[in-house]
Amino acid sequence: MDVEITLRVDGTEHRLIVDTRTTLLDALRERLGNTSPKKGCDHGQCGACTLLIDGRRGLGCLALAVAHQGADIVTAAGLADGDGGGLHPLQRSFITHDAFQCGYCTPGQIVSAAGMLSEAEAGWPSAVSKDPSATDVVLDDEEIAERMSGNLCRCAAYMNIVPAISEVAHR
């Protein structure tokens, strides 16, 4: 069954007709031509398709497009400043720290890092937070690694990804 939905993707509103079984990832890539989120494992295990959905991290391969009618979706491409072509601080930091290796997981890593920084700023604890009731989250390497544990890198660039995120977190 086909349904018409509206999605706001990287600041632009799109109306599209999708089969009710279409994932958000497939709607973005195949229907809107937005190839920023990557199709990795297609089972929600690798994080390559991580998006910001109404400001929160979500996996495009596990989300049905129809369930996100009217949602505000941000991809890694949408994090960059479109007017001046400027990169998001996380994107610049990933380049500076050589944290992208083959680059396949990089968009998901960067979007996840942006969401993670917002979560930490809001005081959300993680599984390794020393004081789960603290409102000021200290983003040390262990905390960053735990919060990014849903994003896998087959090139094993973690030793560069954590410092790239840490640099932005501590500005």
Side-chain angles (χ1 to χ4, degrees), residues 12-108:
T12 302
E13 189 169 297
H14 299 272
R15 294 179 144 234
L16 60 158
I17 296 173
V18 295
D19 183 293
T20 55
R21 299 168 291 179
T22 303
T23 66
L24 191 52
L25 177 63
D26 287 342
L28 293 173
R29 290 184 59 85
E30 296 171 13
R31 303 298 307 281
L32 299 179
N34 186 329
T35 57
S36 181
K38 304 300 182 220
K39 185 175 257 193
C41 67
D42 219 15
H43 290 88
Q45 297 173 336
C46 73
C49 63
T50 303
L51 306 164
L52 293 179
I53 304 170
D54 292 329
R56 298 183 65 177
R57 292 189 279 180
L59 297 172
C61 73
L62 296 182
L64 290 175
V66 295
H68 297 286
Q69 157 63 23
D72 187 19
I73 312 291
V74 176
T75 69
L79 288 174
D81 175 14
D83 292 338
L87 296 177
H88 185 278
L90 284 164
Q91 293 167 323
R92 284 195 303 271
S93 190
F94 267 61
I95 292 170
T96 300
H97 290 274
D98 194 22
F100 49 88
Q101 302 264 333
C102 83
Y104 195 81
C105 71
T106 305

